[in-house]
Short mmCIF file of all heavy atoms in Angstrom, two decimals:
data_model
loop_
_atom_site.label_atom_id
_atom_site.label_comp_id
_atom_site.label_asym_id
_atom_site.label_seq_id
_atom_site.Cartn_x
_atom_site.Cartn_y
_atom_site.Cartn_z
N TYR A 148 11.21 5.49 5.55
CA TYR A 148 11.31 6.88 5.17
C TYR A 148 11.91 6.97 3.79
O TYR A 148 12.95 6.35 3.51
CB TYR A 148 12.16 7.65 6.19
CG TYR A 148 12.42 9.07 5.78
CD1 TYR A 148 11.40 9.99 5.81
CD2 TYR A 148 13.67 9.46 5.36
CE1 TYR A 148 11.63 11.30 5.43
CE2 TYR A 148 13.91 10.77 4.97
CZ TYR A 148 12.89 11.68 5.01
OH TYR A 148 13.12 12.97 4.63
N ASP A 149 11.29 7.71 2.90
CA ASP A 149 11.80 7.93 1.55
C ASP A 149 12.33 9.35 1.48
O ASP A 149 11.55 10.30 1.45
CB ASP A 149 10.68 7.71 0.53
CG ASP A 149 11.18 7.78 -0.90
OD1 ASP A 149 11.97 8.68 -1.22
OD2 ASP A 149 10.76 6.92 -1.70
N LYS A 150 13.65 9.49 1.46
CA LYS A 150 14.22 10.84 1.48
C LYS A 150 14.11 11.55 0.14
O LYS A 150 14.18 12.76 0.09
CB LYS A 150 15.68 10.80 1.96
CG LYS A 150 16.60 9.97 1.14
CD LYS A 150 17.97 9.95 1.79
CE LYS A 150 18.83 8.88 1.12
NZ LYS A 150 20.09 8.74 1.74
N ASP A 151 13.90 10.82 -0.97
CA ASP A 151 13.71 11.48 -2.26
C ASP A 151 12.39 12.25 -2.32
O ASP A 151 12.30 13.33 -2.87
CB ASP A 151 13.76 10.47 -3.40
CG ASP A 151 15.14 9.85 -3.57
OD1 ASP A 151 16.15 10.55 -3.26
OD2 ASP A 151 15.23 8.69 -3.99
N TYR A 152 11.35 11.66 -1.74
CA TYR A 152 10.02 12.28 -1.76
C TYR A 152 9.61 12.87 -0.42
O TYR A 152 8.57 13.48 -0.30
CB TYR A 152 8.97 11.25 -2.20
CG TYR A 152 9.08 10.87 -3.65
CD1 TYR A 152 9.73 9.71 -4.03
CD2 TYR A 152 8.55 11.69 -4.64
CE1 TYR A 152 9.85 9.35 -5.36
CE2 TYR A 152 8.66 11.35 -5.98
CZ TYR A 152 9.31 10.18 -6.33
OH TYR A 152 9.42 9.83 -7.65
N ASN A 153 10.41 12.64 0.63
CA ASN A 153 10.17 13.16 1.98
C ASN A 153 8.82 12.71 2.54
O ASN A 153 7.97 13.50 2.92
CB ASN A 153 10.27 14.70 2.00
CG ASN A 153 10.32 15.23 3.41
OD1 ASN A 153 10.88 14.61 4.30
ND2 ASN A 153 9.72 16.38 3.63
N PHE A 154 8.63 11.37 2.59
CA PHE A 154 7.44 10.82 3.24
C PHE A 154 7.80 9.51 3.93
O PHE A 154 8.84 8.92 3.66
CB PHE A 154 6.27 10.63 2.27
CG PHE A 154 6.48 9.61 1.18
CD1 PHE A 154 6.34 8.27 1.44
CD2 PHE A 154 6.80 10.00 -0.11
CE1 PHE A 154 6.51 7.32 0.45
CE2 PHE A 154 6.98 9.07 -1.11
CZ PHE A 154 6.84 7.73 -0.84
N ILE A 155 6.92 9.09 4.82
CA ILE A 155 7.05 7.82 5.52
C ILE A 155 6.07 6.86 4.86
O ILE A 155 4.92 7.21 4.62
CB ILE A 155 6.69 7.97 7.02
CG1 ILE A 155 7.62 8.99 7.67
CG2 ILE A 155 6.72 6.64 7.73
CD1 ILE A 155 7.15 9.47 9.02
N GLN A 156 6.53 5.65 4.55
CA GLN A 156 5.63 4.68 3.91
C GLN A 156 5.47 3.46 4.80
O GLN A 156 6.43 2.98 5.41
CB GLN A 156 6.17 4.27 2.55
CG GLN A 156 5.16 3.51 1.74
CD GLN A 156 5.53 3.44 0.26
OE1 GLN A 156 6.65 3.68 -0.11
NE2 GLN A 156 4.57 3.10 -0.55
N MET A 157 4.23 2.96 4.91
CA MET A 157 3.91 1.83 5.76
C MET A 157 3.13 0.80 4.95
O MET A 157 2.23 1.16 4.20
CB MET A 157 3.06 2.30 6.94
CG MET A 157 2.55 1.20 7.82
SD MET A 157 1.26 1.74 8.95
CE MET A 157 -0.17 1.80 7.87
N TRP A 158 3.49 -0.45 5.11
CA TRP A 158 2.75 -1.54 4.49
C TRP A 158 2.10 -2.37 5.58
O TRP A 158 2.72 -2.66 6.59
CB TRP A 158 3.68 -2.44 3.68
CG TRP A 158 4.19 -1.83 2.44
CD1 TRP A 158 3.62 -1.90 1.20
CD2 TRP A 158 5.37 -1.05 2.30
NE1 TRP A 158 4.38 -1.19 0.30
CE2 TRP A 158 5.48 -0.66 0.95
CE3 TRP A 158 6.36 -0.62 3.18
CZ2 TRP A 158 6.50 0.10 0.46
CZ3 TRP A 158 7.39 0.16 2.69
CH2 TRP A 158 7.45 0.50 1.35
N THR A 159 0.87 -2.79 5.37
CA THR A 159 0.20 -3.71 6.28
C THR A 159 0.60 -5.11 5.86
O THR A 159 0.42 -5.49 4.71
CB THR A 159 -1.33 -3.54 6.20
OG1 THR A 159 -1.65 -2.20 6.54
CG2 THR A 159 -2.03 -4.49 7.16
N MET A 160 1.18 -5.86 6.80
CA MET A 160 1.67 -7.20 6.51
C MET A 160 0.73 -8.25 7.11
O MET A 160 0.22 -8.08 8.21
CB MET A 160 3.06 -7.39 7.10
CG MET A 160 4.07 -6.33 6.69
SD MET A 160 4.43 -6.31 4.94
CE MET A 160 5.53 -7.68 4.82
N TYR A 161 0.54 -9.32 6.38
CA TYR A 161 -0.24 -10.47 6.83
C TYR A 161 0.67 -11.70 6.80
O TYR A 161 0.71 -12.43 5.80
CB TYR A 161 -1.47 -10.69 5.94
CG TYR A 161 -2.42 -9.51 5.94
CD1 TYR A 161 -2.44 -8.60 4.89
CD2 TYR A 161 -3.29 -9.31 7.01
CE1 TYR A 161 -3.30 -7.52 4.91
CE2 TYR A 161 -4.15 -8.24 7.03
CZ TYR A 161 -4.16 -7.34 5.97
OH TYR A 161 -5.01 -6.28 5.99
N PRO A 162 1.44 -11.94 7.89
CA PRO A 162 2.43 -13.02 7.89
C PRO A 162 1.83 -14.41 7.63
O PRO A 162 2.44 -15.22 6.94
CB PRO A 162 3.05 -12.96 9.28
CG PRO A 162 2.68 -11.64 9.84
CD PRO A 162 1.44 -11.19 9.14
N ASN A 163 0.65 -14.68 8.17
CA ASN A 163 0.06 -16.01 7.97
C ASN A 163 -0.32 -16.26 6.52
O ASN A 163 -0.32 -17.39 6.06
CB ASN A 163 -1.16 -16.20 8.87
CG ASN A 163 -0.79 -16.25 10.33
OD1 ASN A 163 0.34 -16.54 10.68
ND2 ASN A 163 -1.74 -15.94 11.19
N ARG A 164 -0.65 -15.18 5.80
CA ARG A 164 -0.99 -15.31 4.37
C ARG A 164 0.21 -15.01 3.48
O ARG A 164 0.11 -15.11 2.27
CB ARG A 164 -2.13 -14.36 4.01
CG ARG A 164 -3.45 -14.78 4.65
CD ARG A 164 -4.57 -13.94 4.12
NE ARG A 164 -4.74 -12.78 4.99
CZ ARG A 164 -5.58 -11.79 4.77
NH1 ARG A 164 -6.30 -11.78 3.67
NH2 ARG A 164 -5.68 -10.80 5.62
N GLN A 165 1.32 -14.59 4.10
CA GLN A 165 2.55 -14.23 3.39
C GLN A 165 2.29 -13.20 2.30
O GLN A 165 2.69 -13.37 1.15
CB GLN A 165 3.24 -15.47 2.82
CG GLN A 165 3.68 -16.43 3.89
CD GLN A 165 4.42 -17.62 3.33
OE1 GLN A 165 4.48 -17.81 2.13
NE2 GLN A 165 5.00 -18.41 4.20
N GLN A 166 1.61 -12.11 2.68
CA GLN A 166 1.35 -11.05 1.73
C GLN A 166 1.31 -9.71 2.43
O GLN A 166 1.24 -9.64 3.66
CB GLN A 166 0.05 -11.29 0.97
CG GLN A 166 -1.20 -11.11 1.81
CD GLN A 166 -2.46 -11.43 1.03
OE1 GLN A 166 -2.82 -12.59 0.95
NE2 GLN A 166 -3.11 -10.43 0.50
N ALA A 167 1.38 -8.67 1.64
CA ALA A 167 1.31 -7.30 2.15
C ALA A 167 0.36 -6.50 1.28
O ALA A 167 0.15 -6.82 0.12
CB ALA A 167 2.69 -6.66 2.14
N VAL A 168 -0.21 -5.44 1.86
CA VAL A 168 -1.07 -4.54 1.11
C VAL A 168 -0.16 -3.60 0.31
O VAL A 168 0.72 -2.96 0.87
CB VAL A 168 -1.98 -3.73 2.05
CG1 VAL A 168 -2.78 -2.70 1.27
CG2 VAL A 168 -2.90 -4.66 2.81
N ALA A 169 -0.36 -3.55 -0.98
CA ALA A 169 0.47 -2.69 -1.82
C ALA A 169 -0.43 -1.85 -2.72
O ALA A 169 -1.44 -2.33 -3.18
CB ALA A 169 1.41 -3.53 -2.68
N PRO A 170 -0.14 -0.61 -2.99
CA PRO A 170 1.01 0.09 -2.44
C PRO A 170 0.78 0.45 -0.97
O PRO A 170 -0.35 0.50 -0.50
CB PRO A 170 1.09 1.35 -3.29
CG PRO A 170 -0.31 1.61 -3.72
CD PRO A 170 -0.96 0.25 -3.85
N GLY A 171 1.86 0.69 -0.28
CA GLY A 171 1.78 1.04 1.12
C GLY A 171 1.20 2.43 1.34
O GLY A 171 1.19 3.26 0.43
N LYS A 172 0.70 2.67 2.55
CA LYS A 172 0.19 4.00 2.89
C LYS A 172 1.35 4.97 3.07
O LYS A 172 2.40 4.58 3.58
CB LYS A 172 -0.60 3.95 4.20
CG LYS A 172 -1.94 3.31 4.10
CD LYS A 172 -2.57 3.26 5.46
CE LYS A 172 -3.90 3.95 5.44
NZ LYS A 172 -4.51 4.00 6.77
N CYS A 173 1.15 6.21 2.69
CA CYS A 173 2.18 7.24 2.82
C CYS A 173 1.73 8.29 3.82
O CYS A 173 0.55 8.64 3.87
CB CYS A 173 2.45 7.91 1.48
SG CYS A 173 3.19 6.79 0.30
N PHE A 174 2.69 8.77 4.60
CA PHE A 174 2.41 9.75 5.64
C PHE A 174 3.39 10.90 5.55
O PHE A 174 4.56 10.72 5.22
CB PHE A 174 2.49 9.11 7.03
CG PHE A 174 1.52 8.00 7.23
CD1 PHE A 174 1.88 6.69 6.99
CD2 PHE A 174 0.23 8.26 7.63
CE1 PHE A 174 0.99 5.66 7.17
CE2 PHE A 174 -0.69 7.25 7.81
CZ PHE A 174 -0.31 5.94 7.58
N SER A 175 2.89 12.08 5.88
CA SER A 175 3.71 13.28 5.94
C SER A 175 4.72 13.15 7.07
O SER A 175 4.46 12.48 8.07
CB SER A 175 2.82 14.50 6.17
OG SER A 175 3.60 15.62 6.47
N THR A 176 5.86 13.80 6.93
CA THR A 176 6.85 13.81 8.02
C THR A 176 6.52 14.87 9.06
O THR A 176 7.17 14.94 10.09
CB THR A 176 8.26 14.05 7.46
OG1 THR A 176 8.27 15.26 6.72
CG2 THR A 176 8.71 12.89 6.59
N ASP A 177 5.52 15.70 8.79
CA ASP A 177 5.06 16.68 9.77
C ASP A 177 4.16 15.98 10.78
O ASP A 177 3.14 15.42 10.43
CB ASP A 177 4.28 17.82 9.11
CG ASP A 177 5.12 18.61 8.13
OD1 ASP A 177 6.34 18.74 8.37
OD2 ASP A 177 4.57 19.08 7.12
N VAL A 178 4.56 16.02 12.05
CA VAL A 178 3.80 15.35 13.10
C VAL A 178 2.65 16.24 13.55
O VAL A 178 2.82 17.43 13.74
CB VAL A 178 4.72 15.03 14.30
CG1 VAL A 178 3.94 14.41 15.44
CG2 VAL A 178 5.85 14.11 13.87
N VAL A 179 1.47 15.64 13.73
CA VAL A 179 0.30 16.36 14.20
C VAL A 179 0.04 15.88 15.63
O VAL A 179 -0.12 14.69 15.86
CB VAL A 179 -0.93 16.06 13.31
CG1 VAL A 179 -2.15 16.77 13.84
CG2 VAL A 179 -0.65 16.45 11.88
N SER A 180 0.01 16.81 16.57
CA SER A 180 -0.29 16.42 17.94
C SER A 180 -1.46 17.24 18.46
O SER A 180 -1.67 18.37 18.04
CB SER A 180 0.93 16.58 18.85
OG SER A 180 1.34 17.93 18.90
N SER A 181 -2.22 16.62 19.36
CA SER A 181 -3.36 17.32 19.95
C SER A 181 -3.39 17.02 21.45
O SER A 181 -2.86 16.01 21.91
CB SER A 181 -4.67 16.89 19.29
OG SER A 181 -4.89 15.52 19.49
N TYR A 182 -4.04 17.92 22.18
CA TYR A 182 -4.15 17.78 23.63
C TYR A 182 -5.60 18.01 24.02
O TYR A 182 -6.18 19.05 23.69
CB TYR A 182 -3.24 18.81 24.32
CG TYR A 182 -3.26 18.73 25.82
CD1 TYR A 182 -2.51 17.78 26.50
CD2 TYR A 182 -4.04 19.59 26.56
CE1 TYR A 182 -2.52 17.71 27.88
CE2 TYR A 182 -4.06 19.53 27.95
CZ TYR A 182 -3.31 18.59 28.60
OH TYR A 182 -3.32 18.51 29.96
N LYS A 183 -6.22 17.00 24.66
CA LYS A 183 -7.61 17.14 25.07
C LYS A 183 -7.82 16.32 26.34
O LYS A 183 -7.47 15.13 26.38
CB LYS A 183 -8.55 16.64 23.96
CG LYS A 183 -10.00 16.79 24.30
CD LYS A 183 -10.89 16.34 23.15
CE LYS A 183 -12.34 16.49 23.54
NZ LYS A 183 -13.22 16.03 22.49
N ASP A 184 -8.39 16.95 27.35
CA ASP A 184 -8.71 16.30 28.62
C ASP A 184 -7.49 15.59 29.23
O ASP A 184 -7.61 14.50 29.77
CB ASP A 184 -9.85 15.30 28.44
CG ASP A 184 -11.14 15.96 27.99
OD1 ASP A 184 -11.36 17.15 28.36
OD2 ASP A 184 -11.93 15.32 27.27
N GLY A 185 -6.31 16.20 29.13
CA GLY A 185 -5.11 15.65 29.72
C GLY A 185 -4.46 14.53 28.92
O GLY A 185 -3.52 13.90 29.36
N VAL A 186 -4.96 14.26 27.71
CA VAL A 186 -4.41 13.20 26.87
C VAL A 186 -3.75 13.83 25.65
O VAL A 186 -4.36 14.61 24.93
CB VAL A 186 -5.51 12.21 26.42
CG1 VAL A 186 -4.95 11.15 25.48
CG2 VAL A 186 -6.16 11.56 27.63
N VAL A 187 -2.48 13.48 25.44
CA VAL A 187 -1.74 13.94 24.26
C VAL A 187 -1.79 12.84 23.21
O VAL A 187 -1.51 11.68 23.51
CB VAL A 187 -0.27 14.25 24.62
CG1 VAL A 187 0.50 14.68 23.38
CG2 VAL A 187 -0.18 15.30 25.71
N THR A 188 -2.18 13.19 21.99
CA THR A 188 -2.25 12.23 20.89
C THR A 188 -1.35 12.70 19.76
O THR A 188 -1.42 13.86 19.36
CB THR A 188 -3.70 12.10 20.37
OG1 THR A 188 -4.55 11.75 21.46
CG2 THR A 188 -3.80 11.06 19.28
N VAL A 189 -0.52 11.81 19.25
CA VAL A 189 0.35 12.12 18.12
C VAL A 189 -0.14 11.30 16.94
O VAL A 189 -0.28 10.08 17.03
CB VAL A 189 1.82 11.82 18.44
CG1 VAL A 189 2.71 12.08 17.24
CG2 VAL A 189 2.28 12.65 19.63
N THR A 190 -0.39 11.99 15.82
CA THR A 190 -0.99 11.36 14.66
C THR A 190 -0.11 11.56 13.43
O THR A 190 0.48 12.63 13.26
CB THR A 190 -2.38 11.98 14.39
OG1 THR A 190 -3.17 11.87 15.58
CG2 THR A 190 -3.10 11.32 13.25
N LEU A 191 -0.04 10.53 12.57
CA LEU A 191 0.61 10.66 11.28
C LEU A 191 -0.45 11.02 10.25
O LEU A 191 -1.48 10.36 10.15
CB LEU A 191 1.29 9.34 10.88
CG LEU A 191 2.47 8.91 11.73
CD1 LEU A 191 2.96 7.54 11.27
CD2 LEU A 191 3.60 9.93 11.65
N LYS A 192 -0.21 12.07 9.48
CA LYS A 192 -1.15 12.55 8.47
C LYS A 192 -0.98 11.77 7.18
O LYS A 192 0.08 11.78 6.57
CB LYS A 192 -0.92 14.04 8.22
CG LYS A 192 -1.80 14.62 7.15
CD LYS A 192 -2.69 15.68 7.72
CE LYS A 192 -3.52 16.32 6.66
NZ LYS A 192 -4.80 15.68 6.48
N ASN A 193 -2.00 11.05 6.76
CA ASN A 193 -1.99 10.25 5.54
C ASN A 193 -2.00 11.17 4.33
O ASN A 193 -2.78 12.13 4.26
CB ASN A 193 -3.20 9.34 5.54
CG ASN A 193 -3.15 8.25 4.48
OD1 ASN A 193 -4.18 7.73 4.13
ND2 ASN A 193 -2.00 7.87 3.99
N ILE A 194 -1.12 10.92 3.36
CA ILE A 194 -1.04 11.70 2.13
C ILE A 194 -1.10 10.76 0.93
O ILE A 194 -0.88 9.56 1.06
CB ILE A 194 0.26 12.55 2.07
CG1 ILE A 194 1.50 11.65 2.16
CG2 ILE A 194 0.28 13.60 3.17
CD1 ILE A 194 2.82 12.36 1.93
N GLN A 195 -1.38 11.31 -0.24
CA GLN A 195 -1.36 10.52 -1.48
C GLN A 195 0.06 10.04 -1.74
O GLN A 195 1.02 10.76 -1.50
CB GLN A 195 -1.81 11.36 -2.67
CG GLN A 195 -3.29 11.58 -2.77
CD GLN A 195 -4.06 10.32 -3.09
OE1 GLN A 195 -4.92 9.95 -2.34
NE2 GLN A 195 -3.77 9.66 -4.17
N ASN A 196 0.20 8.83 -2.24
CA ASN A 196 1.50 8.30 -2.62
C ASN A 196 1.95 9.02 -3.90
O ASN A 196 1.33 8.86 -4.94
CB ASN A 196 1.41 6.80 -2.85
CG ASN A 196 2.74 6.16 -3.12
OD1 ASN A 196 3.68 6.80 -3.57
ND2 ASN A 196 2.83 4.87 -2.85
N PRO A 197 3.04 9.81 -3.83
CA PRO A 197 3.46 10.56 -5.02
C PRO A 197 4.04 9.68 -6.12
O PRO A 197 4.09 10.09 -7.27
CB PRO A 197 4.52 11.52 -4.48
CG PRO A 197 4.98 10.92 -3.21
CD PRO A 197 3.86 10.10 -2.68
N THR A 198 4.45 8.44 -5.79
CA THR A 198 5.02 7.55 -6.81
C THR A 198 3.97 6.71 -7.51
O THR A 198 4.19 6.26 -8.63
CB THR A 198 6.08 6.62 -6.18
OG1 THR A 198 5.46 5.79 -5.19
CG2 THR A 198 7.20 7.42 -5.53
N VAL A 199 2.82 6.49 -6.85
CA VAL A 199 1.74 5.69 -7.43
C VAL A 199 0.42 6.37 -7.12
O VAL A 199 -0.29 5.99 -6.18
CB VAL A 199 1.72 4.25 -6.85
CG1 VAL A 199 0.68 3.40 -7.57
CG2 VAL A 199 3.07 3.60 -6.91
N PRO A 200 0.06 7.42 -7.86
CA PRO A 200 -1.19 8.12 -7.55
C PRO A 200 -2.41 7.21 -7.77
O PRO A 200 -2.52 6.58 -8.79
CB PRO A 200 -1.20 9.30 -8.52
CG PRO A 200 -0.02 9.15 -9.40
CD PRO A 200 0.77 7.97 -8.97
N THR A 201 -3.25 7.15 -6.75
CA THR A 201 -4.47 6.35 -6.83
C THR A 201 -5.62 7.16 -6.25
O THR A 201 -5.43 8.23 -5.70
CB THR A 201 -4.34 5.04 -6.04
OG1 THR A 201 -4.11 5.37 -4.68
CG2 THR A 201 -3.22 4.17 -6.57
N GLU A 202 -6.79 6.62 -6.32
CA GLU A 202 -7.98 7.25 -5.75
C GLU A 202 -8.28 6.65 -4.38
O GLU A 202 -9.42 6.35 -4.07
CB GLU A 202 -9.17 7.08 -6.69
CG GLU A 202 -9.04 7.81 -8.00
CD GLU A 202 -9.05 9.32 -7.82
OE1 GLU A 202 -9.78 9.83 -6.95
OE2 GLU A 202 -8.31 9.99 -8.56
N GLU A 203 -7.26 6.45 -3.57
CA GLU A 203 -7.47 5.84 -2.26
C GLU A 203 -8.10 6.83 -1.28
O GLU A 203 -7.99 8.03 -1.43
CB GLU A 203 -6.14 5.33 -1.70
CG GLU A 203 -5.16 6.43 -1.36
CD GLU A 203 -3.84 5.93 -0.83
OE1 GLU A 203 -3.84 5.38 0.28
OE2 GLU A 203 -2.84 6.10 -1.52
N ILE A 204 -8.76 6.27 -0.27
CA ILE A 204 -9.33 7.09 0.80
C ILE A 204 -8.23 7.34 1.82
O ILE A 204 -7.59 6.39 2.31
CB ILE A 204 -10.52 6.37 1.47
CG1 ILE A 204 -11.64 6.19 0.44
CG2 ILE A 204 -11.00 7.14 2.69
CD1 ILE A 204 -12.78 5.33 0.92
N LEU A 205 -7.96 8.60 2.11
CA LEU A 205 -6.90 8.95 3.04
C LEU A 205 -7.41 8.88 4.47
O LEU A 205 -8.46 9.41 4.78
CB LEU A 205 -6.36 10.34 2.74
CG LEU A 205 -5.77 10.53 1.34
CD1 LEU A 205 -5.31 11.97 1.16
CD2 LEU A 205 -4.63 9.58 1.10
N GLN A 206 -6.65 8.19 5.31
CA GLN A 206 -7.04 8.06 6.72
C GLN A 206 -5.79 8.19 7.58
O GLN A 206 -4.84 7.43 7.43
CB GLN A 206 -7.68 6.69 6.95
CG GLN A 206 -8.14 6.49 8.37
CD GLN A 206 -8.83 5.15 8.56
OE1 GLN A 206 -9.04 4.40 7.62
NE2 GLN A 206 -9.17 4.85 9.78
N ASP A 207 -5.81 9.19 8.46
CA ASP A 207 -4.67 9.40 9.36
C ASP A 207 -4.57 8.24 10.35
O ASP A 207 -5.55 7.56 10.62
CB ASP A 207 -4.83 10.72 10.13
CG ASP A 207 -4.88 11.92 9.20
OD1 ASP A 207 -4.50 11.80 8.02
OD2 ASP A 207 -5.32 12.99 9.64
N GLU A 208 -3.36 8.01 10.87
CA GLU A 208 -3.12 6.92 11.81
C GLU A 208 -2.56 7.48 13.11
O GLU A 208 -1.64 8.29 13.09
CB GLU A 208 -2.11 5.92 11.23
CG GLU A 208 -2.57 5.21 9.98
CD GLU A 208 -3.56 4.09 10.24
OE1 GLU A 208 -3.62 3.60 11.38
OE2 GLU A 208 -4.26 3.73 9.30
N MET A 209 -3.11 7.02 14.24
CA MET A 209 -2.58 7.44 15.53
C MET A 209 -1.26 6.71 15.76
O MET A 209 -1.18 5.49 15.64
CB MET A 209 -3.55 7.10 16.65
CG MET A 209 -3.05 7.55 18.01
SD MET A 209 -4.16 7.19 19.37
CE MET A 209 -4.29 5.42 19.26
N LEU A 210 -0.22 7.48 16.04
CA LEU A 210 1.09 6.89 16.30
C LEU A 210 1.19 6.46 17.76
O LEU A 210 1.57 5.33 18.06
CB LEU A 210 2.19 7.90 15.96
CG LEU A 210 3.62 7.43 16.06
CD1 LEU A 210 3.87 6.23 15.16
CD2 LEU A 210 4.57 8.57 15.71
N TYR A 211 0.84 7.34 18.67
CA TYR A 211 0.78 7.01 20.09
C TYR A 211 0.02 8.09 20.84
O TYR A 211 -0.23 9.17 20.33
CB TYR A 211 2.16 6.80 20.71
CG TYR A 211 3.12 7.94 20.57
CD1 TYR A 211 3.19 8.94 21.54
CD2 TYR A 211 3.98 8.04 19.49
CE1 TYR A 211 4.08 10.00 21.41
CE2 TYR A 211 4.88 9.09 19.36
CZ TYR A 211 4.92 10.05 20.32
OH TYR A 211 5.79 11.10 20.20
N LYS A 212 -0.37 7.76 22.10
CA LYS A 212 -1.02 8.74 22.96
C LYS A 212 -0.69 8.41 24.40
O LYS A 212 -0.39 7.27 24.73
CB LYS A 212 -2.52 8.84 22.72
CG LYS A 212 -3.33 7.67 23.20
CD LYS A 212 -4.78 7.98 23.37
CE LYS A 212 -5.80 7.73 22.42
NZ LYS A 212 -7.12 7.98 22.62
N TRP A 213 -0.74 9.43 25.22
CA TRP A 213 -0.47 9.23 26.64
C TRP A 213 -1.23 10.26 27.45
O TRP A 213 -1.62 11.30 26.96
CB TRP A 213 1.03 9.30 26.95
CG TRP A 213 1.64 10.66 26.82
CD1 TRP A 213 1.77 11.60 27.81
CD2 TRP A 213 2.19 11.26 25.66
NE1 TRP A 213 2.37 12.73 27.33
CE2 TRP A 213 2.65 12.55 25.99
CE3 TRP A 213 2.36 10.84 24.34
CZ2 TRP A 213 3.23 13.40 25.09
CZ3 TRP A 213 2.96 11.70 23.44
CH2 TRP A 213 3.39 12.96 23.83
N LYS A 214 -1.46 9.91 28.71
CA LYS A 214 -2.15 10.82 29.63
C LYS A 214 -1.09 11.66 30.31
O LYS A 214 -0.14 11.13 30.87
CB LYS A 214 -2.95 10.04 30.67
CG LYS A 214 -3.82 10.95 31.52
CD LYS A 214 -4.95 10.15 32.12
CE LYS A 214 -5.79 11.03 32.99
NZ LYS A 214 -6.90 11.64 32.33
N ASN A 215 -1.26 12.96 30.25
CA ASN A 215 -0.28 13.89 30.79
C ASN A 215 -0.51 14.15 32.26
O ASN A 215 -1.55 14.17 32.77
CB ASN A 215 -0.36 15.21 30.03
CG ASN A 215 0.88 16.01 30.15
OD1 ASN A 215 1.85 15.59 30.77
ND2 ASN A 215 0.86 17.17 29.55
#
């Protein structure tokens, strides 16, 4: 969590290759949840990295889901 910019940042790590994808993906701190057919899904909304603006394709990530 970056409190200066108010976002969550995630890096994909490849331990066997000893490398990470940089820059990391950034996500809004606003949680998006949905309910369909008894299943609750919580998603992190992908946002542009405010410290390193790029032309990346934004893709939301599912944080977790459960059957209600």
Side-chain angles (χ1 to χ4, degrees):
Y148 174 71
D149 186 316
K150 59 184 168 185
D151 293 330
Y152 290 98
N153 192 34
F154 66 80
I155 300 166
Q156 192 164 17
M157 174 193 78
W158 289 269
T159 301
M160 306 296 282
Y161 299 101
N163 293 339
R164 291 188 268 175
Q165 297 183 351
Q166 71 183 84
V168 174
K172 287 177 123 183
C173 293
F174 299 93
S175 169
T176 56
D177 297 327
V178 177
V179 178
S180 61
S181 62
Y182 181 81
K183 182 178 180 182
D184 298 329
V186 177
V187 178
T188 304
V189 177
T190 305
L191 293 176
K192 177 117 176 92
N193 193 201
I194 59 172
Q195 283 292 122
N196 185 336
T198 62
V199 186
T201 61
E202 293 293 324
E203 67 181 293
I204 296 172
L205 300 178
Q206 182 178 355
D207 299 343
E208 297 282 340
M209 181 179 60
L210 185 59
Y211 57 90
K212 72 160 95 178
W213 70 92
K214 187 158 179 92
N215 201 3

